[in-house]
Amino acid sequence: MDEKWAIQAAKLLQVLAHPKRLLLLSVLSGRSLPAGRLAAAIGLPPGMVYKHLHQLTEIGVLCVDEETASMRFSLASDEIVSKLLDIQAAAVSGISMQGIRRRNAGFGHRPLKSAVLG
């Protein structure tokens, strides 16, 4: 891994690290929709949705079909949402396990009451 790759990966993760953008990707799974429909689907004004769509298009996650009466957005790859769900599941699993280990590390196998009271 070189620095250029790391910078590109960080930009991708930064763009994806927004709940509304992840929701847009989920809504677009298996379909192509205009920005107005996407705005209604995720509960944002169209102007804000266009900003998010632009960022996702800029990093290559979305494609735009400008040949219809209104621009329609779709996933650049059908695997995108699947991969994101895999990452989410792994992250949630890892966070949960770290929390369990962290809680148990301080108390060992002693009951909570004796660990707190000494």
Side-chain angles (χ1 to χ4, degrees):
M1 173 186 334
D2 63 1
E3 188 169 349
K4 183 178 178 180
W5 180 90
I7 290 169
Q8 289 174 333
K11 182 174 180 169
L12 173 73
L13 293 172
Q14 183 179 18
V15 170
L16 292 176
H18 191 286
K20 293 295 186 177
R21 288 192 281 269
L22 290 173
L23 191 54
L24 283 168
L25 295 177
S26 177
V27 170
L28 284 169
S29 181
R31 59 183 127 179
S32 173
L33 295 170
R37 294 261 320 265
L38 290 166
I42 67 167
L44 281 181
M48 289 294 294
V49 169
Y50 271 110
K51 177 184 172 189
H52 292 303
L53 293 170
H54 172 75
Q55 290 176 312
L56 291 166
T57 302
E58 190 175 78
I59 63 168
V61 175
L62 295 184
C63 293
V64 183
D65 180 5
E66 298 178 18
E67 299 200 10
T68 59
S70 63
M71 291 192 308
R72 296 178 72 85
F73 296 85
S74 60
L75 298 175
S77 166
D78 293 333
E79 293 183 44
I80 291 170
V81 172
S82 173
K83 298 290 185 193
L84 289 173
L85 290 173
D86 289 346
I87 292 168
Q88 178 193 24
V92 169
S93 174
I95 290 168
S96 297
M97 291 307 295
Q98 287 177 356
I100 291 168
R101 277 189 232 114
R102 203 173 297 126
R103 281 189 301 236
N104 290 340
F107 300 116
H109 294 288
R110 296 182 296 166
L112 182 60
K113 183 177 178 184
S114 66
V116 173
L117 298 176

